[in-house]
Amino acid sequence: IWKENKVTNSKISETQAKNLLEGKTISIKGEKYSLSKGILKKEEEQLICPRCGKELSKTLKTYMCNCGFTLWKNNKLLGELTEKECQDLLKGESIERYDLTNKEGKKYHAKFKLEDTGKYVNVKLDSFISKK
């Protein structure tokens, strides 16, 4: 194990290296890492389908489930959603976006939530955020 690595962009201590070699998970900058076939890998949180409760599959463009639930990472209303925004939405949390522009060209700030109709999955406006 290299003391400096490209996965975490930080140094790994001897204790951390020993723990990895013993099959343990280590924490670096709040992220969890483990060895998989001798390669340091970031452990990703398993996300649960809000519709059926089963584990979601992650692709380059979506989070999807066998029950038909699909969250597209590129959204018509907001454009490209970050991984964190997708994860927050899937956990039932709202996401905030600032300096959006409406059809009249006016700027606004708003919160958005996931809406699942049972057939379609949409990101909908939840509330406006007042400017301070």
Side-chain angles (χ1 to χ4, degrees):
I1 299 172
W2 296 99
K3 287 188 178 182
E4 290 187 43
N5 63 79
K6 294 179 181 177
V7 177
T8 64
N9 291 323
S10 63
K11 293 184 179 184
I12 295 175
S13 70
E14 284 186 42
T15 304
Q16 288 174 318
K18 184 178 175 183
N19 287 337
L20 285 169
L21 291 170
E22 291 173 355
K24 296 177 183 175
T25 301
I26 62 169
S27 181
I28 301 172
K29 296 180 182 176
E31 303 284 346
K32 298 210 178 282
Y33 295 88
S34 63
L35 280 182
S36 175
K37 298 180 183 175
I39 299 171
L40 186 65
K41 294 208 174 186
K42 181 179 169 184
E43 291 191 355
E44 294 194 25
E45 181 180 353
Q46 296 299 322
L47 293 169
I48 303 301
C49 176
R51 186 182 290 171
C52 73
K54 293 183 181 174
E55 190 175 309
L56 289 168
S57 298
K58 179 180 166 186
T59 69
L60 287 174
K61 296 183 179 186
T62 66
Y63 284 93
M64 57 194 306
C65 182
N66 291 337
C67 71
F69 178 92
T70 302
L71 172 63
W72 289 87
K73 294 178 187 177
N74 194 337
N75 180 277
K76 184 178 179 181
L77 178 64
L78 298 174
E80 194 72 28
L81 297 170
T82 66
E83 288 296 320
K84 173 134 179 42
E85 287 175 328
C86 288
Q87 291 170 3
D88 288 347
L89 288 168
L90 290 166
K91 292 176 189 173
E93 299 172 12
S94 62
I95 61 170
E96 296 179 1
R97 284 286 183 96
Y98 298 93
D99 294 324
L100 297 167
T101 307
N102 67 15
K103 291 178 183 176
E104 290 81 38
K106 294 183 181 180
K107 297 275 186 193
Y108 68 98
H109 310 312
K111 289 185 179 186
F112 296 87
K113 285 197 116 174
L114 201 62
E115 177 190 65
D116 182 5
T117 67
K119 185 174 182 180
Y120 300 106
V121 178
N122 301 302
V123 177
K124 292 283 188 177
L125 176 68
D126 186 41
S127 63
F128 290 101
I129 301 170
S130 61
K131 294 180 182 179
K132 295 178 182 179

